[in-house]
Amino acid sequence: MLKEIREKTQILEELLKKYNRIGIITHKNADPDALASVIGLKEIILQRAGITPITIFPEGLNSLSKRIVSSLEIDITSSDEVNEADLYIIADTSSSTQLGKYSDNVLKKDIVIVDHHEGGDLGEKALLEIKTSMVSSTSEIVYAIGVDLGITFSTRVLELLLSGIVFDSKRFIIAKPITFRIIADIVDSGVDYSKIIQLFNIRPDISERIARLKASMRAKHYRVKNVIVSLTEVGAFEASVARSLLELGSDVVFVANQIDKNEVRLTARASSYFIEETGIHLGRDLLSRLSNYFGGSGGGHDAAGGYTGYNVGAWELLGKVFELLIELLEERKYANRREVKEITQD
Ligand SMILES: [Mn+2]
């Protein structure tokens, strides 16, 4: 099904015959792609080698995976006994540190990698690497291996693989051509697509929704040419608040949380439009500079970052970050401060 892995799938089939005790492990806090890959590989080994492999989920599942497991009623048993297997398949993981406390012991065994990430240190230690970047998820690779080996996946496993693909392709935003072919196959096999999609529409807890609403009531918004800047304060859920304000229409959002009378935590998020339009990198250009004023440290990515400062109030910090932002916009000749307009209710 996937040309570039077909030969390796044959090697895997031969390899599976040589071991009676097989384990499957994935990265810490398994996301839906990691979860689906492990369970999909388990079914492949069961059908092809006739043995039940042990499965290890280091530090368990993340919250979305837990939700999927309980809604699809999947049995996931996580073992702690690394020595119960001689061959380990490491799924959806490219670096050994992601295996957590199991890393050293698993690497003493024979290992096979099934993954879609670039780089990492695991490849050099593996007997076999089934890896490609022609997919958006490891679940797609596992599905393709299954097809090549003539496996009939159960509906439960197909549902899991579908959820792994939806998750890792960021709901198809970064899907590859093969992603859609595999999805079509899976849906053709009778999997209820809308049921799986609904698992991803999580209604946040009421306390989180109240935090968002309170933060939006307290917010100050400014228009600077074609970008909208929002500043607000909240006692929890800063990242969720920032996301919701971007969703409402802001381009760059700063959310302060006064942790105690000396400490303020700042969370910043920007739209891709803001980054393209202004060339500003939040972590490098803005957040890392705040320590010059209020100590602490800050940084992050272009579109997301944070800062923790001391001996400053929430709105004083927000005022400073806004001032630095306007300076940057002036330096970059995007706008000058006379073009800053507060957005008011009338
Ligand atoms: Mn993945």
Side-chain angles (χ1 to χ4, degrees):
M1 164 146 228
L2 261 166
K3 278 198 302 295
E4 55 277 31
I5 66 159
R6 191 172 300 140
E7 260 172 47
K8 291 184 169 175
T9 299
Q10 305 307 318
I11 303 171
L12 176 69
E13 189 172 23
E14 292 308 309
L15 209 54
L16 291 178
K17 290 177 189 158
K18 295 188 188 139
Y19 295 85
N20 291 317
R21 306 188 321 156
I22 301 175
I24 311 169
I25 187 168
T26 185
H27 60 76
K28 289 186 277 188
N29 282 313
D31 57 37
D33 185 38
L35 166 70
S37 300
V38 170
I39 303 299
L41 286 164
K42 183 178 174 182
E43 187 146 298
I44 290 173
I45 292 165
L46 249 170
Q47 288 188 29
R48 253 295 148 276
I51 54 172
T52 305
I54 65 160
T55 51
I56 301 180
F57 291 98
E59 297 176 25
L61 306 179
N62 78 7
S63 57
L64 188 53
S65 293
K66 283 182 191 151
R67 185 184 152 92
I68 290 170
V69 161
S70 70
S71 136
L72 299 182
E73 296 173 338
I74 309 272
D75 168 42
I76 59 140
T77 35
S78 185
S79 171
D80 240 342
E81 301 298 328
V82 174
N83 287 326
E84 284 179 6
D86 307 305
L87 174 74
Y88 270 90
I89 303 185
I90 305 179
D92 196 42
T93 308
S94 61
S95 76
S96 54
T97 56
Q98 293 182 290
L99 300 175
K101 67 172 180 175
Y102 301 99
S103 172
D104 290 345
N105 287 329
V106 166
L107 295 182
K108 285 178 196 151
K109 311 290 181 182
D110 292 342
I111 63 171
V112 170
I113 312 292
V114 178
D115 187 29
H116 68 120
H117 297 99
E118 311 267 349
D121 63 339
L122 284 172
E124 61 208 49
K125 298 173 175 112
L127 290 179
L128 172 67
E129 259 192 299
I130 306 185
K131 238 175 148 160
T132 171
S133 51
M134 302 295 286
V135 294
S136 57
S137 65
T138 302
S139 297
E140 288 156 65
I141 303 176
V142 170
Y143 182 82
I145 292 172
V147 169
D148 282 350
L149 295 182
I151 303 293
T152 311
F153 287 115
S154 67
T155 304
R156 275 284 174 277
V157 171
L158 289 174
E159 287 174 336
L160 262 184
L161 290 170
L162 177 58
S163 70
I165 297 169
V166 170
F167 181 78
D168 253 36
S169 68
K170 315 222 182 303
R171 300 197 195 190
F172 307 116
I173 289 172
I174 55 164
K176 302 281 163 86
I178 187 78
T179 311
F180 295 108
R181 285 204 284 275
I182 289 175
I183 294 291
D185 271 10
I186 290 177
V187 174
D188 240 0
S189 320
V191 165
D192 183 347
Y193 179 78
S194 62
K195 168 178 145 186
I196 300 304
I197 289 291
Q198 270 159 31
L199 293 174
F200 289 82
N201 296 331
I202 302 170
R203 184 167 170 76
D205 189 72
I206 188 157
S207 55
E208 184 172 342
R209 286 180 281 128
I210 289 172
R212 287 180 180 181
L213 292 168
K214 281 188 175 176
S216 79
M217 289 189 272
R218 293 176 193 137
K220 287 189 167 297
H221 308 286
Y222 299 88
R223 176 174 178 174
V224 188
K225 280 175 80 172
N226 288 321
V227 300
I228 297 170
V229 184
S230 298
L231 312 172
T232 191
E233 182 198 0
V234 75
F237 302 112
E238 298 101 296
S240 167
V241 162
R243 244 190 347 264
S244 64
L245 289 172
L246 286 181
E247 195 71 25
L248 269 180
S250 288
D251 289 290
V252 58
V253 181
F254 299 96
V255 184
N257 180 0
Q258 187 95 43
I259 306 292
D260 60 35
K261 73 181 196 309
N262 298 318
E263 184 181 342
V264 180
R265 191 164 68 204
L266 183 72
T267 299
R269 296 288 185 271
S271 64
S272 48
Y273 176 80
F274 173 82
I275 297 165
E276 278 167 33
E277 192 77 350
T278 66
I280 291 173
H281 183 293
L282 288 182
R284 189 188 57 217
D285 302 333
L286 206 53
L287 299 165
S288 60
R289 290 173 57 198
L290 288 167
S291 54
N292 298 334
Y293 304 91
F294 314 111
S297 69
H301 307 283
D302 52 358
Y307 166 75
T308 302
Y310 299 92
N311 301 312
V312 58
W315 282 98
E316 188 187 350
L317 176 59
L318 289 166
K320 178 53 89 178
V321 77
F322 186 58
E323 184 189 315
L324 292 176
L325 174 67
I326 301 305
E327 274 174 26
L328 270 174
L329 292 172
E330 285 191 322
E331 272 169 34
R332 288 165 191 241
K333 312 229 180 300
Y334 176 76
N336 67 52
R337 61 187 63 233
R338 285 187 307 278
E339 290 171 288
V340 177
K341 302 263 184 297
E342 182 166 3
I343 299 171
T344 56
Q345 290 186 43
D346 35 58

